[in-house]
Amino acid sequence: MKRVVAGLALAMAVQAFADHPQTINKTGFVGVNKTQSAQSLGHSKLSFYGLMDATTDVQNIAPEGVRERYTGMYLPADQNNGMQYGLEYNTLMRQGMVEDYIALGAQVGFGIGIWHYFDLGVGIPVYYDKFTVNNTGCPYDPYVGPKNEVGPDGQPMVCQQGQISGTNIGYIGNLKADLKIRLPLPEDQPVDIAFFGEGNFGTSNPEKDGLWIREAEFINKGEPTDGGGTAQAYGVRSTIAKGGVALTLDFDKIDAVPFLIHVNGGYVYSTNKNYLSYPYMTAAAEIYFMDFLSLFAEYYMMFQLDEYADAVKLDVKDLTGAIVFHLPIGLDLHLGGSYSLGSTDIEKYTTVRAMENNNRTLEYKTSINPKYKVYGGITWSGFLLPQDRDGDGVTDDEDDCPDDFGHRLNRGCPLGNPDADEDGVCDAWVSEKGFESEFQDICEGIDACPNEPGEGEDGCPLDDPDPDGDHVCDPWVAKKKLQKKFKDVCEGIDSCPTEKGTVANKGCPEDNPDPDGDGMCSPWVTDKNKLGDYANVCKGYDMCPGEAGPKANKGCPWDDPDSDGDGLCDPWVTEKKMGYYFEKAAEDDKIKNEWFIEKTCKGIDKCPTEFGPANNEGCPLGDPDTDKDGICDEWVTQKNMLDQYDGICSGIDKCPTEPGEAWANGCPMDNPDIDGDSLCAPWVTEKNMQAQFKDICHGVDKCPTEAGPEWNKGCPAENPDSDGDGVCDAWVTKQKMLDQFKDVCTGIDRCPDEEGPAWNKGCPAENPDSDGDGLCDAWVGKQKLFDQFKDVCHGTDRCPDEAGPEWNKGCPMDDDPDADKDGVCSEWVSTKKLLKQFEGVCTGIDRCPDVPGDDGHGCPKKAVEKLTGVTFKPGKATLESNAKNILKAVAKKLNEDDSYKELKIVIQGHTDNKGKDKTNQKLSEKRAQEVMKTLIKFGVKKNRIKAVGLGASCPVDDNSTEDGREMNRRIEMHFATPENDGTKCESEF
């Protein structure tokens, strides 16, 4: 038996790394922590796991701590022979904060792969809690007295001394069974999908309980009468089922990086309706830096649909990260931690009653998850049976190529091609390795030429059996007895293997009776009197035995039937009575082939050596427009060819050798408007041709060679506005031609050679606004020309050579209205009553003109000032005597210091977190108001100051220490700005 166990252990150790390392989670399956991978363990793979969470954090318990309440028997005096027995039910006995806290939660179990698609697992959690309670007693002084004494919650109280008992306890949780089913998707694709489920069965003991409630479904959500609020930290006795779907994306399967992404969605179902059922999701990422090292990160979140008895919904979100060391014996070491991302708002904590026994229960508020936990443990996995992951029948431990399908006789590695040249003869290695029987259906023998396909028995290529192509086999074919092999290629034995011959002549050549294949016998056939021998081959006497030709031409080819290529047949075609055949051959291939016609034609060409159209009997036509004037020569009309030459010429040219105008029938004639001024030359009128040229000119041009206006009878005229200033030269007025030139100029130009404005009678004038600032130079006013220049300038410019604003009478401005660019005007703007002038640039009066500020008065915003020394009598809003002296100095600064005296002030009161929030809020507000009243008394205007109380909501230090609480009990002076009214908390703690 020992040998069997030792052998099994050794086999498992050897097989542990037969595949890529996989991380094992808290169910014994492939995955990380709470997340399932969609990949499976694999056939016969066994895993063991022991993974643990540990914490010393108590932030999952509300700051008010825990209360111990009496739940034992109580008999009043009148039911106990006049003697009182026990305490009244629910009596508060002890109260305090949890200290020296240690909590552990370990998941222990195993999993096994069934074939490649099913995993089964069994596990059980082991829990341990140890803590003490700093017994601060009851809310009031300890008192053991009358039964009508009650605590602040309305319940009776009888304070007890000493520690709470039963605070060092450990036990198992509920036994769980797990199942995973992977879909049979292709192994080489990166996506896997699986379904998983789990059943929890009540093996925990409610009397063995801890403080850390491990799962949300361990708290009773029913009504108080049904045990609402009761919690079992290690598990409930009712059955709980879990199920969901997992998706994994494995980038290593596509040869990218060893990186995996897992996403789970699931549902927790409690069979007892008083306990939570809820959906949840997890997402995780894994990366393998090396075969022995990986890192993962996981996010877990539950979605609570139902409220607990106290109308609370928990905010459970966890982030877990760990490093995993994969040792070569299948053992993995996990080390990492978890951090809760859930809310720390006490409103999100639910009240529970836990660790209940016969005499007491502990009552406290919890968020379930500690803020931080340490994660770690060990897992082991290995195969029980030898693996064959490439499926070639050779187990991986004996397979030299475990990832490639191979042959058992080649130690699992792939074999080469047994017949590389595919000629049916095996390569030499097949015989050398004794694989003849393995490949008997593919090849046989040994290939002496493995890289060349051959027809021979040795696999080498054979010579051509008939190189001269006369269908008579070369002698070697008979010698090698290959006649049958080449029966479809050749026959017999070729006596002339290098010369093409006939079968009848044993492969030797003889004269061809019809070498040109035109059916006409070569002359030698007649000469040797062999016409009868070749009657089935040819007939007659071929006058051109080297060129195929028709019988009608005695075996000679036809001359070119259309030598000039104009489609008309040369005269010899008609002479030989072949016109019909050369015309029909264009559409009848039978005639074309029978009569050896390569080129067709029709009709008769009167000019066989010159290209010409059919309508001119094949002779060339002349130029349709000899003089190139666009008028057609007379023969074009005579031959009815005007349409053919459309676009080249038109009409009939009466002068075909001299270019002329169309209106002159192509004959030359003088230009009726030589100077192009639209007035006709005198000869047009003389020849009475005005109607002929009405679209070209009109009237009579007195100066036919010089262009001129019509009003000047076609003769040139002077420019009416020589300098182009819109004022007419003097001669226009003298000749009474102002109306003639009204669209060109007006008036009389006193300076016709110099451009000038009309108002200055065409003479040059000074610029009315030299510096372009919109204010007129002084001379405009002196000459009373304001109306003249109203669209250019107005007023009088005191600085005509320097541009300046109107409000400064045209002089430049030295000072910047907002020198520090903070949007608040410099003081001189207000002094000069120019605030409206600069309202788009700045507003108000800048108290700090050289420094940009954001307090609304041009100064930098004042920092919050703590009024150190302003103290009050304990628990009251009464100022200590020294505080008034301090406030008197503060009031003086606010009233007299330029940087303070315009500011709006907000006094904020703050307390520590001792006592009730409502009480602290009221106290802070009263103290702030008392400070405000004192400052008003010392001269600060009421409209400048206000007071607010923020209670304990805005700490600047840790309230868990005395020094921190002292820092939090304070009075602050805030300064309001347009963006911040000073009433909000500005602490960054």
Side-chain angles (χ1 to χ4, degrees), residues 429-561:
W429 67 264
V430 176
S431 176
E432 292 169 1
K433 293 194 174 187
F435 288 166
E436 292 93 338
S437 61
E438 293 290 331
F439 298 112
Q440 61 183 354
D441 295 334
I442 299 174
C443 58
E444 59 184 12
I446 300 174
D447 197 337
C449 302
N451 298 319
E452 295 179 274
E455 298 84 2
E457 294 180 358
D458 61 355
C460 291
L462 297 172
D463 293 333
D464 187 346
D466 182 22
D468 57 8
D470 57 5
H471 303 294
V472 183
C473 298
D474 284 6
W476 68 264
V477 176
K479 288 178 183 179
K480 292 188 177 184
K481 300 179 180 180
L482 294 173
Q483 295 95 326
K484 188 175 182 180
K485 182 176 183 66
F486 297 111
K487 66 180 181 178
D488 296 330
V489 179
C490 57
E491 61 182 89
I493 299 173
D494 199 336
S495 297
C496 303
T498 59
E499 294 181 275
K500 185 175 183 180
T502 63
V503 175
N505 208 31
K506 296 181 180 180
C508 290
E510 62 181 25
D511 290 335
N512 190 338
D514 184 16
D516 57 10
D518 58 5
M520 299 292 290
C521 295
S522 292
W524 69 264
V525 177
T526 301
D527 295 343
K528 291 184 178 182
N529 199 25
K530 288 191 175 186
L531 283 172
D533 293 342
Y534 295 107
N536 294 327
V537 178
C538 59
K539 290 180 173 60
Y541 192 93
D542 196 339
M543 297 296 290
C544 301
E547 298 177 274
K551 181 179 179 181
N553 206 31
K554 298 181 181 180
C556 291
W558 298 112
D559 291 334
D560 188 342

